[in-house]
Amino acid sequence: MPIHSTHHSWVLETAHTAYSFGLNSQGLLAHCYWGPVLPRAEDYPPAPDLPGWPFNSQGQVVPEEFPAPAGLKYIEPCLKITYADGTRDTVLDFESDQRIGEDELVIHLHDRSYPLRVRLHYRLHPQLDIIERRVEIENAGDQPATLERVFSAQWHLPRFGAYRLSHLSGRWLDEFHLQRHPLKSGLTVLESRRLTTSHHASPWFAVDRGSADEEQGEVWFGALAWSGNWKISAEVTDFYSTRVSIGLNDWDFAWKLNPGEVFTTPSSHAGYTQNGFGDASRRLHDLIRDQILPHGHTPHKILYNSWEATTFNVDVPSQARLAELAAGMGIELFVMDDGWFHGRHSDNAGLGDWWPDEEKFPDGLTPLIEQVNRLGMDFGLWVEPEMVNPDSDLYRAHPDWVIHFPTRERTESRNQLILNLGRPDVQDYLIETLGRLLAQNNIAFIKWDMNRNVSEPGWPDAPGDAREIWVRYVRGVYRVWGELRRRHPQVVWQSCSGGGGRVDLGVLALADQAWTSDNTEATARLNIQAGFSQVFPANVMEAWVTDAGRGRISLDFRFHVAMCGSLGVGGDLLAWDADERESAARWIALYKDIRETIQFGDQYRLGNPQEEPFTAVQYVSKDRSEAVLFVFRTHIPEPIFLPPVRLRGLDPLRLYKVEGLSGARTGLAWMNTGVQVMLSDFESSVMRIRAV
Ligand code: DGJ
């Protein structure tokens, strides 16, 4: 039984882990345990009944599942509300529990003195060892209340531990850098205030005891399914408790909760493993493929994107020439990027006017699409729905549709402003306009871009509190995207935000894949991809071979790096010679053979390219009959002895052959003695491994 409860205590068991909480003698809903599953129900500890301490109530000392500020309690709360009469604390009492099917539990709480209900939802993903939490806040009274913070969860680590936090940081062209540092007394805050998930940080955390590595050690990890402002605050209290709160960012946030209304938070997913950071990532990869992505097990086609070849100078002849070359190399999907729509000749104009530019495409997109289809490829298109250039018909008609403060100058970034997708009329306009584009053209793929961060976050006629914009905007994006998906189920979607500025478990419920970074230089990409893989699986990670580093980094190396994800090509094919196109065709053919293992297999990071110049990545099919090994060397001063690459994830007793090496050996042998791969600087290798 995955969920069992005895008198006011609950144990949530997945295949290998358990999570428990209960009511203590003072009625606090307290966290009890999160670790390996224990043999007997009685083995789980009871709700902690720790004494208070002078200057501190029990609520400061006891790890509460969902703390709100009340009494002598000062830790990070999950909830902050101001009631209509000005009362600003919240005293939560337990009301009841409710089971929904085998895998869901709801704990009902309410404020002791006000008609406010709080429902804590727990959902198990038993085979993935993941627990999902979200919260509903209901105003059951007849006066409005103001929500000022509502997190999705507070995740507690075992008390008395000393912990280390792993997270991701970065910036445009340089996303997903893995950071690892000890958690010290007090708060560590990670967040986005940029309206989207951001290039700078990711709503993901992993916590270990300081000695876990890729293969061993306890790791507690989690993520938030949200594509707007988010916050993680990791707190080490003076009472030996470490907890990680995760949810919507409360910075500049307020939500007027009217009588009868319910506010629902995004979900936070979290898990525990004893098998290190590699296993934590694989748990998330499986979660994303099995539970989050709309079609997590459909292989992605190899695409060509014309952006780096033609930038804004697109028309039928230029695209058709590229399409012919792409088709000749075995590409399956041709994507025309920016520059195709009304008035778009540079980044100065056009955003918002989503119909083909009359000069470039006098007969619409159909002639080009038909040509692409005749070449045996699907056709894809770039859009940036949330944006508008002041020089556009849309802005001239609706200058009030953008996010702005009426008294401030509207800060432009890349010459564009942000449409307020919190507004239903803006959402409807986009659903209609983009819907028409998809209905009138045979479009199989959309790259949804978002190329700036917010400024002047005002909403003059906001329906509630103007600070609701942070949440209403993201919900608006979800509505537009969700509606377009529903109406046009044939379309595959990509989330792009100037590269990896919006990749998270929220957008991946709508987007089939993500553009990892605008930086396509292969050695930089190795680092970015390693960080990306902490959270996201290879099928989500779109990676192109481009001309960045051409002349310095071989085409083989560039292909190998891009083949570690969902392969694409983005170079200027007109400048590639016959040899390059022939090599490309060979790599593309190989990728078609191995993509299921890469996109859906278990990924093993063998070394961290952010720190080491000789690393490898291995993908193992779920049935362990096939594996693919990529090995990379960047710069290492000679003389050097390269270590053997010890394979991972194979069936220990099965015999495997490694391509290019003679003789079959057991998985155990390959995993312990490894494969010797001799590479010079900036060389790489790909090897198939097959069970015999
Ligand atoms: C930013 C994207 O990340 C690029 O790939 C390209 O689509 C440009 N926008 C087009 O403006």
Side-chain angles (χ1 to χ4, degrees), residues 305 307 312 337-338 344 382 384 414 447 449 451 496-499 515 518 544:
N305 180 297
W307 170 245
F312 299 100
D337 209 279
D338 200 347
R344 187 70 162 176
W382 177 97
E384 195 176 359
R414 210 192 188 208
K447 172 175 174 178
D449 207 344
N451 279 305
C496 171
S497 177
W515 180 226
D518 276 352
W544 305 344

Side-chain angles (χ1 to χ4, degrees), residues 179-220:
Q179 308 288 345
R180 220 157 245 171
H181 49 78
L183 281 172
K184 297 271 168 55
S185 178
L187 281 177
T188 304
V189 175
L190 312 169
E191 63 176 350
S192 167
R193 299 181 179 190
R194 292 166 182 265
L195 188 64
T196 56
T197 328
S198 105
H199 300 87
H200 294 258
S202 276
W204 164 81
F205 66 88
V207 176
D208 75 303
R209 294 189 187 274
S211 58
D213 59 26
E214 280 295 296
E215 293 175 32
Q216 62 75 40
E218 290 183 293
V219 179
W220 295 262

Side-chain angles (χ1 to χ4, degrees), residues 164 166 180 206 208 212-214 219 275-281 605:
R164 180 172 65 164
S166 299
R180 220 157 245 171
D208 75 303
D213 59 26
E214 280 295 296
V219 179
N275 302 317
F277 297 111
D279 193 52
S281 295
R605 292 179 291 260

